Amino acid sequence: MDKKNSLHRIVDRHFTAPPGKVGLLYGERKVYSLATLIAVEILMRNPAVVIIDAANRVDPYLFARIARMKHIDPYSFLDRTYVTRAYTCYQLDISITDGLFQFVCGVNAQFVIVYGLIDLFDDEQVPISDVVDILRRVRETLRSLMLKGISTLLVSSTPHFKLKGREYFFAQLSAMADVRYRLEQHNFDQHIILEETTHGKNNTDRNNAHSVRREQLVTIPQGVTERRPKRV
Amino acid sequence: MKITGWLFDSYATDKGITVWLVDGNGKKYKTHYHFHPLFYLNLTKDEEHFLQLMRKELPSEVSLRRVERRDLYSRVMIPVLEVSLHNPLMFQKTVYTLSKHFNFYKFYGADIKVMQLFYYITQLFPLAYGEYEIENDILQHWSLLDRFDAIDYTIPELSVMTLTPSMKLFSPKYQRSMEIEVSIDDTTRVLQQNDPRELIEQINYYLVQYDPDIILTEYGDSSLLPLLSSLAEEYRIPLHLNRDPDARYYTTKAQSYFSYGSMVHRDGVFELAGRWHIDRENSFIVGEADLEGLYDLSRMSQIGVQHQARTSIGSALSSMQISWAYRNNVLVPYKRPIKESFKTLSTLLKSDRGGLHFMPPKGYHEQVAELDFASMYPTLMKNHNISSETIDCVCCADSSHLVPELGYRLCEKHTGFVPETLTPILEKRARYKELKRTAATDELKKKYDRMQAGLKWILVTCFGYLGFKKSRMGRIEAHEAVNAFAREGLLRAKEIAEAKGFTLIHAIVDCVWLKKKDATREEYEALAKEIEREVGVKISLEGIYQWILFPTSKMDDDITTATRYVGTYENGEMKVRGLEVRRHDTCRYVKKMQQEMLDVLSSARSVAEIKFRLPDVIAVVKRYIDQLNEGNVSPFELVIRRRISKDPYEYANKSINAVVSQTLAEAGVTLAAGESIEYIITDASGKKDPQKAKPLALYALDDGYDAKKYSEFIFDAAETLLQPFGYTRKELQKSWKEDIMDLPLFRQVS
């Protein structure tokens, strides 16, 4: 399947037209590389994209590399991608719930990507009650963004919680999303699988509304690496 | 009654704080101080009303008071509710109960330990000298004749009892039965554990008879004191480790955690009441700065001496910052850290960088000078007013003080809390260094050296702590700003040097290595002065190397590594960094061999003289290889010490660490991730002996050692020094089969 068309299709069908959705993309290691590809697709058609990075996975070098592959000046991507990093769940909380909408409007972005929303909850110094509070506030903020036509993509690696009793945060994360994708990797082949879309008022894409659907949407081309290429 | 003396120890009780004082004659006084720890809430009127209603349900009686305190970042005074607790022991429970009803962002100073609150609110500190007024054992008030940041101060004469395991080869963890050595006033006695009752009685005898102020131990936290207290409990004999019979021990469990990419293990703590327990094996600061450094740091950080001995340097720094906040009526954030401002990826590319390195050319060089910036990062933080609240502050929208490359604005009106807390440390350390230089006796010299060493570690960690994710008042932009100024400073130093005809050989963050034909010491010193004037940070000539070696990387022959080098100064003193001889994971035998090689080289004054000495250096290698092959090496010299990264049975592979830790576990020694193991390699390949290595504790002489593997270590260490002359490890190994002494010299001199 052609990569450009497929990613176009995902971005068009599930995020930008009509605007105002919450999507979840999860899977193994390369999920953040795929998120970068999606961010680039969005940048090709939008003035800016905003990333909240709680997984410490934003890689400017990958943005630059993709730009070069497309024969585009890397700074045309780097100057229009805004990022804030969070190292504790409390920082993540205020990054999303305190002034995000104003910032997004200020840079004329219609798309927010959140890396590792639940990663920072796997911390024994963070009580579950705090996590519940944070998730509630984040959910409300994402909903209000959605109503204002701003789409959010939540990106998460497949959760491996060290602490017992915290696994269900992934279910909570899933519940926030209108549409859920899984990145699958079989040897060298990677596929994005559309796992589920939800009914109800959150779902603005009525034509594709179904409770559970498995659909292979795109094969990721080899060579899109997670990190900088090795020195030759 | 008025006592002129020192604050010795303090701990919380349900009524306040127990404070131990000691006077000039060594007499101790147990007193009580009425203290209500407090925190702040920023509530709406409805929430405040709700709090009034639920007051009776709280674990402790509380008093409420409306006050105004300053917000750290906006600098605005905001109205808050001060909640003070009548029972200090219920502080955490009360916060927990309230946090079920109020958002955690509404709390300030709610996770500070009661003992710390006592010090911050009263502005007392450990070993504070003053006049204390006591009535009926109640500490009424005091007048301090001392300051926490004083340079010249006195401390009381404290009596010390030492408790150590008499078998020192292994940690007590590896010993089934233990003999304990008790030392008092240069007299040492060995107590056997054959009869536990007798052991406890003997310990009690010494405690009562000598009433020591300090119990100094080795492995006291992990083994000795837990063992003694559990025996005392089992045999129902009261053990008088505490001076205060009404108090309990303060203990915590051991823990393992990741720090800077590696697993670290920290023993639990065993702290006493009315008397100090200091475990040399569980105290970084005592290891680095001895007791003098510990006392000095404890006074500065206002953390009790026992606790300071065990806590991290970062905690000491954090404590100084929080104390500053209380002194200045600033609210201490509870769980609300400042978020990183949005930035473009192109700004991130510029900002997310560390210090600058210029990699050195590989091989030996002559007449190279090293110039070091003194305390560069903390000085930059102080000079440029870099602090969490001074970056892009609300009060200086048109500030002309900008961070290079990044353009962040810095406050020009108010000094930040980071420079405020660092300034006394910088001044104090500079003064200690001066006192060390001018000290009349060796003993004084050592004393001031230890005291400056304790403070040095705060200066080392202060920069990292700005960006530490759990730093209560840290901020990533401040961390980035320091790096940006440091890069700018180093580049400026390079430009100045090059403009004067010097060549930059190497640079690491805050040090530069320069060269200029026939340059004199005076020229380098003049250059240092000019750089200092331009950059604003003191830089001094560390020395001029007669020769210096930058070995190649072990991973790639074409490059060097920034922190591995060896050289001799003009005065013959040798400086070694990062080589096998300095590494903790090198066995003693290899260290000895490399040290002997260096000893041979140390008298060389040029590269030509090094070449002249090569036969002697190679002879050292040959001798050590011969001894290995003849089986004449003491196994104790072959012991390798490593840290395990996982619990023994979590390993999926059969690495030496896995095999050794599992062997120990089967023998009844349970180790946790981050703890160290010691072993001797018996068959690295695992072909003859699947066990690969024997733990030192289970080693028998007839287990032998893997001579081939150890000879590889020898060749590796030899290669580090000989590679520039064409002797690679492979070359050395290959030639070994013939005769290493027949190797041609200077095969390919670089």
Side-chain angles (χ1 to χ4, degrees):
Chain A
M1 200 179 286
D2 177 58
K3 174 196 77 169
K4 189 177 172 186
N5 288 342
S6 306
L7 286 173
H8 260 295
R9 200 171 134 217
I10 291 179
V11 173
D12 283 342
R13 193 166 129 191
H14 296 285
F15 297 108
T16 55
K21 285 185 183 172
V22 178
L24 168 64
L25 170 66
Y26 78 101
E28 292 302 329
R29 285 176 50 230
K30 291 198 173 177
V31 72
Y32 293 105
S33 308
L34 177 61
T36 308
L37 280 170
I38 293 174
V40 165
E41 281 298 326
I42 293 161
L43 283 170
M44 301 285 277
R45 281 168 283 160
N46 287 277
V49 66
V50 171
I51 300 176
I52 294 159
D53 181 12
N56 204 15
R57 299 303 287 265
V58 159
D59 184 356
Y61 297 99
L62 184 54
F63 275 83
R65 188 158 169 255
I66 295 169
R68 283 193 203 98
M69 282 163 71
K70 291 176 180 289
H71 305 289
I72 294 172
D73 175 11
Y75 281 96
S76 79
F77 288 166
L78 298 177
D79 288 341
R80 292 186 295 126
T81 307
Y82 295 87
V83 64
T84 179
R85 294 164 295 173
Y87 299 96
T88 66
C89 62
Y90 304 106
Q91 278 178 330
L92 173 70
D93 180 12
I94 52 174
S95 296
I96 295 175
T97 60
D98 184 9
L100 177 61
F101 176 67
Q102 288 84 342
F103 182 78
V104 168
C105 292
V107 297
N108 202 12
Q110 291 174 330
F111 211 100
V112 175
I113 304 179
V114 183
Y115 284 9
L117 179 64
I118 56 171
D119 288 15
L120 299 170
F121 297 151
D122 194 21
D123 181 344
E124 59 197 3
Q125 289 181 12
V126 178
I128 287 194
S129 55
D130 285 6
V131 178
V132 172
D133 265 9
I134 292 169
L135 277 174
R136 180 180 49 76
R137 276 196 295 275
V138 167
R139 197 181 305 117
E140 283 166 8
T141 306
L142 296 187
R143 189 160 298 169
S144 73
L145 286 177
M146 194 176 74
L147 293 172
K148 287 162 184 159
I150 294 161
S151 292
T152 306
L153 176 64
L154 307 171
V155 186
S156 174
S157 51
T158 311
H160 300 289
F161 283 102
K162 292 193 296 276
L163 299 176
K164 283 182 184 167
R166 306 215 167 189
E167 301 83 3
Y168 83 100
F169 293 137
F170 185 71
Q172 301 230 327
L173 185 73
S174 287
M176 286 186 200
D178 300 315
V179 56
R180 192 172 77 208
Y181 300 99
R182 186 179 75 249
L183 177 67
E184 269 191 4
Q185 189 163 353
H186 302 290
N187 298 324
F188 293 107
D189 294 331
Q190 294 157 59
H191 312 285
I192 303 173
I193 308 291
L194 171 64
E195 275 197 344
E196 188 174 348
T197 61
T198 52
H199 292 290
K201 60 181 180 183
N202 289 355
N203 190 358
T204 48
D205 193 359
R206 299 282 176 193
N207 293 332
N208 285 314
H210 39 245
S211 58
V212 176
R213 180 171 142 181
R214 299 178 72 82
E215 181 189 357
Q216 181 173 320
L217 293 173
V218 64
T219 301
I220 310 297
Q222 285 187 31
V224 177
T225 56
E226 199 175 11
R227 293 281 171 204
R228 271 185 291 174
K230 283 183 184 170
R231 192 167 64 93
V232 179
Chain B
M1 178 175 57
K2 190 191 274 182
I3 295 169
T4 304
W6 295 264
L7 191 160
F8 174 68
D9 194 20
S10 53
Y11 40 90
T13 67
D14 58 353
K15 303 259 177 349
I17 304 290
T18 298
V19 179
W20 284 83
L21 302 168
V22 53
D23 68 15
N25 298 319
K27 189 175 175 191
K28 282 89 192 173
Y29 303 85
K30 180 186 169 187
T31 68
H32 181 78
Y33 179 65
H34 293 303
F35 176 70
H36 292 175
L38 49 88
F39 60 94
Y40 301 96
L41 283 167
N42 184 8
L43 302 180
T44 61
K45 279 197 172 163
D46 287 348
E47 287 171 330
E48 205 175 313
H49 180 64
F50 179 71
L51 175 61
Q52 292 286 3
L53 292 177
M54 65 172 294
R55 269 172 88 164
K56 285 186 181 164
E57 292 167 30
L58 294 174
S60 165
E61 194 181 332
V62 297
S63 301
L64 303 174
R65 187 168 71 113
R66 283 195 194 85
V67 293
E68 282 203 332
R69 292 287 180 270
R70 194 180 300 281
D71 176 68
L72 176 66
Y73 300 109
S74 68
R75 300 190 55 83
V76 173
M77 293 299 277
I78 55 172
V80 285
L81 198 65
E82 184 185 273
V83 183
S84 59
L85 281 74
H86 296 200
N87 180 352
L89 299 183
M90 288 294 131
F91 188 80
Q92 282 181 336
K93 277 191 179 167
T94 306
V95 171
Y96 177 74
T97 307
L98 288 171
S99 67
K100 286 182 188 166
H101 302 282
F102 305 115
N103 184 319
F104 42 77
Y105 296 141
K106 292 182 178 289
F107 291 75
Y108 291 92
D111 56 347
I112 299 170
K113 287 185 175 146
V114 170
M115 271 322 300
Q116 290 315 118
L117 282 171
F118 163 70
Y119 284 125
Y120 302 147
I121 291 167
T122 60
Q123 284 299 313
L124 282 169
F125 52 91
L127 295 172
Y129 184 69
E131 289 170 350
Y132 297 86
E133 196 76 41
I134 305 169
E135 266 180 39
N136 299 325
D137 294 339
I138 304 292
L139 179 59
Q140 300 288 352
H141 44 85
W142 55 84
S143 161
L144 286 189
L145 308 167
D146 197 358
R147 279 179 56 89
F148 70 97
D149 56 357
I151 289 169
D152 289 319
Y153 56 85
T154 54
I155 54 165
E157 287 280 330
L158 300 171
S159 54
V160 179
M161 177 170 119
T162 309
L163 281 182
T164 52
S166 57
M167 168 70 158
K168 296 211 168 60
L169 185 60
F170 307 114
S171 140
K173 197 166 225 182
Y174 294 93
Q175 298 175 38
R176 287 189 199 284
S177 62
M178 206 189 307
E179 284 183 351
I180 298 173
E181 274 183 14
V182 182
S183 301
I184 300 164
D185 300 336
D186 299 330
T187 312
T188 302
R189 293 174 186 83
V190 177
L191 311 180
Q192 291 190 332
Q193 199 203 319
N194 298 339
D195 181 354
R197 284 173 216 276
E198 204 179 311
L199 179 73
I200 304 288
E201 296 293 355
Q202 283 174 314
I203 294 281
N204 275 340
Y205 166 78
Y206 291 113
L207 288 168
V208 173
Q209 179 78 11
Y210 295 99
D211 188 23
D213 299 312
I214 307 173
I215 299 180
L216 199 58
T217 67
E218 283 170 23
Y219 304 103
D221 281 333
S222 62
S223 302
L224 289 189
L225 297 203
L227 171 82
L228 290 173
S229 73
S230 68
L231 286 176
E233 208 167 299
E234 190 182 334
Y235 291 92
R236 295 183 183 184
I237 308 168
L239 178 65
H240 305 303
L241 288 173
N242 277 342
R243 186 176 266 151
D244 181 349
D246 305 325
R248 306 176 78 173
Y249 308 127
Y250 173 75
T251 58
T252 61
K253 286 182 182 169
Q255 53 176 328
S256 300
Y257 54 92
F258 262 107
S259 175
Y260 292 95
S262 60
M263 185 56 84
V264 180
H265 178 83
R266 183 179 283 176
D267 286 329
V269 309
F270 200 109
E271 292 178 13
L272 305 177
R275 165 179 291 146
W276 298 340
H277 167 223
I278 294 166
D279 178 358
R280 282 187 178 278
E281 288 292 322
N282 195 26
S283 176
F284 170 79
I285 197 67
V286 173
E288 290 291 321
D290 218 323
L291 292 178
E292 283 109 332
L294 170 66
Y295 299 158
D296 199 49
L297 190 59
S298 183
R299 288 165 54 95
M300 288 286 283
S301 66
Q302 295 175 272
I303 295 177
V305 171
Q306 290 188 88
H307 201 57
Q308 181 62 76
R310 293 159 174 91
T311 197
S312 67
I313 299 291
S315 301
L317 183 65
S318 177
S319 178
M320 290 179 204
Q321 294 173 349
I322 297 170
S323 182
W324 171 89
Y326 276 86
R327 279 198 298 278
N328 292 280
N329 281 331
V330 171
L331 291 166
V332 177
Y334 174 44
K335 289 179 180 175
R336 190 183 176 87
I338 195 158
K339 65 178 176 183
E340 182 182 28
S341 304
F342 278 101
K343 56 183 72 157
T344 62
L345 285 185
S346 35
T347 306
L348 183 70
L349 271 179
K350 289 183 212 153
S351 65
D352 194 23
R353 288 187 288 165
L356 210 54
H357 285 195
F358 288 92
M359 301 308 282
K362 62 184 181 179
Y364 286 88
H365 305 268
E366 289 176 346
Q367 295 302 310
V368 173
E370 181 185 339
L371 276 72
D372 289 358
F373 283 105
S375 302
M376 185 188 207
Y377 276 47
T379 307
L380 288 173
M381 287 149 87
K382 174 179 166 252
N383 289 356
H384 295 286
N385 194 22
I386 302 172
S387 191
S388 302
E389 81 281 28
T390 58
I391 300 267
D392 290 339
C393 61
V394 286
C395 56
C396 302
D398 54 353
S399 169
S400 59
H401 195 171
L402 302 177
V403 176
E405 297 178 272
L406 311 178
Y408 302 155
R409 285 179 290 105
L410 288 161
C411 188
E412 293 180 308
K413 292 181 183 154
H414 306 284
T415 307
F417 71 87
V418 171
E420 287 268 17
T421 45
L422 284 179
T423 302
I425 305 169
L426 282 164
E427 287 170 357
K428 204 171 175 185
R429 182 161 181 249
R431 180 74 184 127
Y432 284 152
K433 282 173 123 178
E434 181 62 32
L435 286 168
K436 178 190 157 191
R437 220 173 0 254
T438 56
T441 63
D442 272 358
E443 202 171 317
L444 269 179
K445 224 182 250 295
K446 280 181 190 162
K447 176 187 162 183
Y448 288 120
D449 188 44
R450 288 194 283 258
M451 289 163 86
Q452 70 82 23
L455 297 178
K456 172 189 158 186
W457 286 104
I458 294 188
L459 300 178
V460 169
T461 52
C462 66
F463 153 73
Y465 207 70
L466 264 184
F468 175 45
K469 67 177 182 178
K470 289 188 178 166
S471 166
R472 208 183 304 253
M473 300 195 279
R475 183 173 174 187
I476 193 75
E477 281 94 343
H479 184 88
E480 291 170 349
V482 183
N483 271 323
F485 275 111
R487 289 195 297 270
E488 176 78 3
L490 195 74
L491 277 178
R492 193 73 200 103
K494 176 178 177 282
E495 286 164 2
I496 295 167
E498 285 175 345
K500 298 223 169 269
F502 293 89
T503 306
L504 184 94
I505 297 288
H506 178 34
I508 325 174
V509 186
D510 59 353
C511 306
V512 287
W513 281 259
L514 300 164
K515 189 173 174 169
K516 184 178 172 185
K517 197 163 185 267
D518 301 328
T520 60
R521 199 174 179 85
E522 288 69 32
E523 277 181 85
Y524 282 113
E525 280 166 350
L527 174 69
K529 277 198 177 130
E530 189 168 343
I531 293 173
E532 186 177 327
R533 227 176 7 254
E534 282 282 315
V535 179
V537 181
K538 186 175 167 56
I539 185 169
S540 54
L541 176 66
E542 184 77 4
I544 299 172
Y545 292 96
Q546 296 180 108
W547 58 264
I548 185 166
L549 164 68
F550 297 107
T552 56
S553 157
K554 293 284 175 193
M555 309 295 286
D556 186 341
D557 283 353
D558 290 335
I559 57 169
T560 48
T561 47
T563 50
R564 292 174 71 225
Y565 59 89
V566 54
T568 56
Y569 289 123
E570 285 171 320
N571 63 4
E573 188 193 329
M574 184 171 264
K575 184 171 179 182
V576 188
R577 293 290 180 270
L579 266 54
E580 286 82 351
V581 72
R582 294 261 305 190
R583 291 176 59 98
H584 295 296
D585 56 358
T586 309
C587 68
R588 207 186 308 163
Y589 190 67
V590 176
K591 280 186 179 179
K592 263 174 65 184
M593 191 275 307
Q594 197 178 52
Q595 186 58 56
E596 273 193 45
M597 291 175 79
L598 290 171
D599 289 345
V600 175
L601 296 179
S602 66
S603 57
R605 283 171 299 176
S606 64
V607 176
E609 287 189 19
I610 289 175
K611 285 178 188 170
F612 185 73
R613 285 165 175 73
L614 280 183
D616 295 340
V617 175
I618 290 172
V620 172
V621 183
K622 179 174 165 49
R623 181 155 46 81
Y624 273 78
I625 291 284
D626 282 347
Q627 280 178 10
L628 258 182
N629 288 336
E630 286 159 12
N632 289 338
V633 180
S634 160
F636 293 115
E637 299 210 319
L638 301 175
V639 174
I640 293 172
R641 192 181 168 95
R642 291 273 155 83
R643 203 184 271 174
I644 56 170
S645 58
K646 298 172 180 177
D647 287 345
Y649 291 105
E650 283 179 358
Y651 282 97
N653 56 23
K654 283 280 165 199
S655 65
I656 289 185
N657 280 10
V659 171
V660 170
S661 58
Q662 286 162 13
T663 308
L664 284 168
E666 281 158 24
V669 182
T670 314
L671 297 169
E675 286 198 85
S676 293
I677 50 171
E678 289 179 316
Y679 58 82
I680 293 159
I681 301 173
T682 50
D683 178 23
S685 67
K687 286 176 187 164
K688 291 177 204 159
D689 176 9
Q691 227 188 344
K692 294 183 181 177
K694 273 281 173 70
L696 178 61
L698 304 176
Y699 185 83
L701 281 178
D702 55 6
D703 286 323
Y705 55 79
D706 185 341
K708 192 175 166 214
K709 188 68 191 172
Y710 282 101
S711 66
E712 281 175 20
F713 294 148
I714 291 281
F715 286 131
D716 258 348
E719 181 195 53
T720 302
L721 302 177
L722 297 175
Q723 199 266 356
F725 300 107
Y727 301 124
T728 62
R729 177 182 144 177
K730 277 186 186 167
E731 197 74 35
L732 288 164
Q733 274 176 314
K734 204 173 98 190
S735 307
W736 178 253
K737 286 174 187 156
E738 299 142 28
D739 187 357
I740 198 170
M741 294 308 289
D742 294 333
L743 276 171
L745 296 181
F746 323 132
R747 190 168 289 171
Q748 48 175 96
V749 180
S750 58

